[in-house]
Amino acid sequence: MSEQTHQRLTPAPPSGQLIDSPRFPVAAKHELGNAQQRANLRHATHTIRDKRARVVGELDNWEQLRLAGEAIKNKVLRNLPDHLVRLEASLTANGATVHWARDAAEANRIVVGLVQATGSHEVVKVKSMATQEIELNEALEDAGIAAWETDLAELIVQLGHDRPSHILVPAIHRNRTEVRDIFREEMGRYGTPAPPDLDDNPANLANAARGHLRDKFMRAKVAVSGANFAIADTGSLVVVESEGNGRMCLTLPDTLISVVGVEKVLPSFDDLEVFLQLLPRSSTAERMNPYTSIWSGRREGDGPQDVHVVLLDNGRTRALADREGRQALRCIRCSACLNICPVFEKVGGHAYGSVYPGPIGAILNPQIRGTASEVDRSLPFASTLCGACGDVCPVRIPIPELLVHLRHEVVEAKKADHGVHLPHAEPLMMRSGGWVMGDHRRLEAAQRASTLGGGLLGRFTDHLGPLPWPLSAWTSARDVPTPPTETFREWWRRVRGDDPGPAASGDTPAGHTPEETR
Amino acid sequence: MSTPAGPPTAADAASTSLPGTGITVALFATCVNDTLFPGTPKAVVTVLERLGCRVVFPREQTCCGQMFTNTGYFDEALPSVRAYAKAFADYDYIVGPSGSCVGAVRDQHPMLARRTGDPGLVVASERVAARTLDLSEFLVDVLGVTDVGASFPHRVTYHPTCHSLRVTRVGDRPFRLLRAVRGLDLVDLPEAEQCCGFGGTFSLKNADVSVAMANDKADNVVSTGAEYVVAGDNSCLLNIGGVLARRRSSVTPIHLAEILASTEEAAS
């Protein structure tokens, strides 16, 4: 972090770097303790997931749309460099300036330089995940430039000295009473204050935000955006939004700088037909989003006259190199997987230590950031593999399969670490368990411990309470039944004999003639 | 589609028209059922033999290996994959009472086999995977039966386990089987398709989240007023039942196979 000798221009986010976040189970335990947040999350996720199911159910070709979305994105990923070069050429022909950024630092340097060249000391921002990912706001703050979030939820998060906890609904963890308190407390410090008698009526809260942002829109010379899609054949960028704040940013300022992940490219304008159906229904559960802005470079006398596009890698090509893992790059950031996820519903986005939380974050972060950090190593395990995320994904990312794929990568990385870390108990347990399961005689020997224990304990109880580690993790809140004194295979041998089939005599059902296996 | 089997009678025993006549089923007990819930595979034997099948238990079987695979230990899962391919190589119908273990065999064994580069294992794994069915699939699709002659005069709610629903995709087959059980009062479970929080080693690695999810599920189960919560996977029932038992709740977890095995004769 920079030294805070000068007074900050914008509200300070929580201190520390996301990459240094604690392991998911530790962070999750902390979040579980927040009863208000749990209630907020439960209400919000259930509302939006039910609504999504309804609007998706209206289309009888939803599966075909998903297949088309998957196919188009796969086509892009197979030949990404070609599509990007075409995009650069068409954007340039349209009068935009294209910049390439290998990582967050380079992207931030480019954007800061572009803003400084305009002489402006502030920018208005369209909601953008790419700029959250590279922490552009803090880079601008360090350069003496104030970045104002104009999306309502991003505004709540920024004014609340907070971090987003959801891709689509960054303030999903807040309820309207908390929002009212944040607006009353903070708005006046950074611009037009909230009305002193502001209550928690949603319309009044929206009006307070409108009033606060109006000045900033009217005086802004520079806007920063992301893009939902970048169209290679026409050199167009697309932003879909609900509030109209994006449209203000994209039309009023003189300079527009868009930071776009390289995976956002689509080959042709026609491809929008598919994605403008998939995205709104999957994200906000709307048939159509209220505002779709499409701009193609610079147009004389209409909108920003200085248009820049920063194409961002920041780990995406690392993911692209993994034939299986690259499927995560199909993501269109709709958040359907977050809303359906029972784990996300319990803990919210902050537990994931990234601007990309939930199931997609659990597969995206370890790929674009790598598996060196504690949090990234824990993310692929932050799922029960229930499969709900994969079923709702509009571009058919097999999230559960990729979670397992990345678990394997983490395990291999841990095994390779043995030189520096103490041997971990888990690999030893798994190796011996795998060996036991390689031969039924070994399994039978292991089962004897269970039936012996069952025989001893069964005299006293039919349910066991707290047990020692590692089973304590189970029994701290859950009983286990006392193991039976006879396994199934022991019963089978006792009653049916050693042959795989039923014994020739008494146990065969009357009148039934055993036959040979067909 | 549905062939009422009815309680076995002398006439039935003499006839060869039972839906399973002439079919040999290799029972895949699963290691969890074998060790901790032997009553479930016994119930499968009862149901299948009542319907005329010949049931065999290849004793070389061990485990689907899912715990290793899903924890990221692919190499450690291979002994299970090999044992499974060997134990069940000779059977046309391999039937297990677990949407999760059946799903692991079908979804993961071929992938794990391909990693070894051993073409023999790939072929063997793909072959057994294609022949492996959940009990509910075998009954409804192969035997064409939904009424298996069971009687279970109790109020019951059904939890569709995640892997039976979204990996094995058994669909509404368990519901059709349950609706045909005599005397059974099937009540809807609120938020039925939400995970119970088990997730294999998730239940230990992320125990706090797992318990929070299991408590939600238990709340929903209790709200139905059911005497039994039924599912196609004992591992999930272990989780839900663990919370219910800790609460001293009177709701009893029970596997679908055990309800299908129940008859008026057995109850009296």
Side-chain angles (χ1 to χ4, degrees), chain B residues 189-190 212 214-224 243-244 247:
Chain B
L189 177 65
N215 271 303
D216 275 8
K217 184 58 73 179
D219 288 344
N220 281 321
V221 166
V222 170
S223 79
T224 64
V243 167
L244 290 169
R247 295 180 180 187

Side-chain angles (χ1 to χ4, degrees), chain B residues 247-265:
Chain B
R247 295 180 180 187
R248 304 280 171 259
S249 163
S250 62
V251 187
T252 307
I254 187 169
H255 193 284
L256 175 65
E258 295 179 38
I259 288 183
L260 300 181
S262 299
T263 55
E264 281 156 45
E265 290 76 10

Side-chain angles (χ1 to χ4, degrees), chain A residues 187-477:
Chain A
M187 274 183 169
R189 294 184 187 155
Y190 302 99
T192 308
D197 58 346
L198 180 66
D199 59 15
D200 63 3
N201 178 305
N204 295 339
L205 294 172
N207 268 331
R210 193 173 280 128
H212 179 78
L213 292 169
R214 186 65 45 172
D215 275 351
K216 293 183 163 68
F217 284 132
M218 296 316 284
R219 67 174 191 244
K221 299 285 178 220
V222 183
V224 174
S225 83
N228 293 99
F229 309 103
I231 314 294
D233 66 350
T234 57
S236 313
L237 297 189
V238 184
V239 161
V240 300
E241 45 135 354
S242 300
E243 297 165 16
N245 64 298
R247 181 68 57 82
M248 300 281 260
C249 296
L250 298 168
T251 49
L252 290 174
D254 302 328
T255 301
L256 173 59
I257 306 164
S258 304
V259 181
V260 183
V262 287
E263 84 285 13
K264 295 284 176 191
V265 63
L266 291 179
S268 113
F269 199 85
D270 293 345
D271 298 324
L272 284 180
E273 177 206 349
V274 171
F275 292 99
L276 291 182
Q277 293 188 74
L278 288 174
L279 182 53
R281 286 180 199 257
S282 300
S283 57
T284 48
E286 291 168 305
R287 299 184 182 100
M288 190 179 173
N289 49 287
Y291 294 85
T292 300
S293 298
I294 304 176
W295 68 103
S296 306
R298 194 179 78 94
R299 185 180 293 259
E300 197 66 41
D302 181 10
Q305 294 300 298
D306 193 14
V307 176
H308 296 267
V309 180
V310 182
L311 293 173
L312 174 72
D313 180 351
N314 205 32
R316 285 159 177 77
T317 51
R318 175 214 288 265
L320 188 67
D322 182 336
R323 195 176 272 279
E324 258 192 86
R326 73 169 62 144
Q327 297 184 84
L329 295 178
R330 293 206 294 265
C331 177
I332 55 174
R333 310 282 189 262
C334 73
S335 308
C337 63
L338 279 62
N339 298 329
I340 200 79
C341 178
V343 174
F344 179 89
E345 175 195 322
K346 285 275 159 286
V347 302
H350 291 151
Y352 294 79
S354 162
V355 299
Y356 303 115
I360 186 63
I363 58 170
L364 203 54
N365 295 309
Q367 294 202 78
I368 62 180
R369 302 198 299 203
T371 51
S373 73
E374 287 280 310
V375 65
D376 285 321
R377 283 188 177 192
S378 72
L379 287 180
F381 297 91
S383 163
T384 62
L385 303 178
C386 84
C389 49
D391 276 10
V392 296
C393 178
V395 286
R396 293 169 46 92
I397 300 171
I399 298 177
E401 270 173 49
L402 295 187
L403 286 165
V404 172
H405 172 74
L406 290 164
R407 288 177 184 190
H408 176 61
E409 268 190 24
V410 169
V411 164
E412 294 300 305
K414 273 192 186 164
K415 284 180 183 169
D417 270 0
H418 262 188
V420 276
H421 295 296
L422 284 173
H424 197 257
E426 186 182 279
L428 296 173
M429 293 197 294
M430 289 293 174
R431 200 179 316 149
S432 50
W435 178 78
V436 165
M437 292 305 181
D439 189 310
H440 67 99
R441 284 160 297 198
R442 290 178 214 142
L443 172 60
E444 285 155 21
Q447 283 174 331
R448 252 162 253 143
S450 167
T451 50
L452 273 176
L456 288 171
L457 296 163
R459 294 179 209 170
F460 307 107
T461 177
D462 60 349
H463 267 89
L464 304 179
L467 293 173
W469 185 91
L471 294 173
S472 54
W474 179 279
T475 57
S476 67

Side-chain angles (χ1 to χ4, degrees), chain B residues 65-220:
Chain B
Q66 178 178 188
M67 184 189 75
F68 308 105
T69 315
N70 283 352
T71 314
Y73 290 83
F74 288 5
D75 294 339
E76 289 76 358
L78 277 172
S80 300
V81 174
R82 290 205 172 89
Y84 190 92
K86 186 162 169 255
F88 291 105
D90 296 334
Y91 300 99
D92 289 335
Y93 296 105
I94 306 157
V95 175
S98 165
S100 189
C101 305
V102 165
V105 169
R106 294 209 296 230
D107 249 42
Q108 297 180 331
H109 281 203
M111 175 276 285
L112 292 163
R114 278 192 291 276
R115 289 184 71 254
T116 65
D118 172 356
L121 185 61
V122 174
V123 170
S125 290
E126 283 174 352
R127 192 175 293 155
V128 288
R131 296 171 182 179
T132 300
L133 297 172
D134 178 62
L135 175 66
S136 64
E137 294 176 304
F138 179 76
L139 292 175
V140 175
D141 300 349
V142 178
L143 299 188
V145 171
T146 50
D147 182 349
V148 299
S151 168
F152 197 74
H154 298 283
R155 195 174 167 87
V156 164
T157 194
Y158 174 71
H159 167 60
T161 66
C162 299
H163 288 183
S164 68
L165 196 65
R166 290 182 280 262
V167 179
T168 303
R169 301 203 186 268
V170 299
D172 68 348
R173 295 176 186 86
F175 285 105
R176 292 162 65 187
L177 291 162
L178 284 169
R179 283 195 203 105
V181 173
R182 281 159 200 63
L184 188 143
D185 176 17
L186 185 61
V187 286
D188 283 343
L189 177 65
E191 296 171 21
E193 296 187 356
Q194 182 130 337
C195 178
C196 75
F198 173 63
T201 49
F202 177 88
S203 62
L204 303 176
K205 284 175 181 286
N206 281 286
D208 298 292
V209 184
S210 174
V211 166
M213 292 165 68
N215 271 303
D216 275 8
K217 184 58 73 179
D219 288 344
N220 281 321

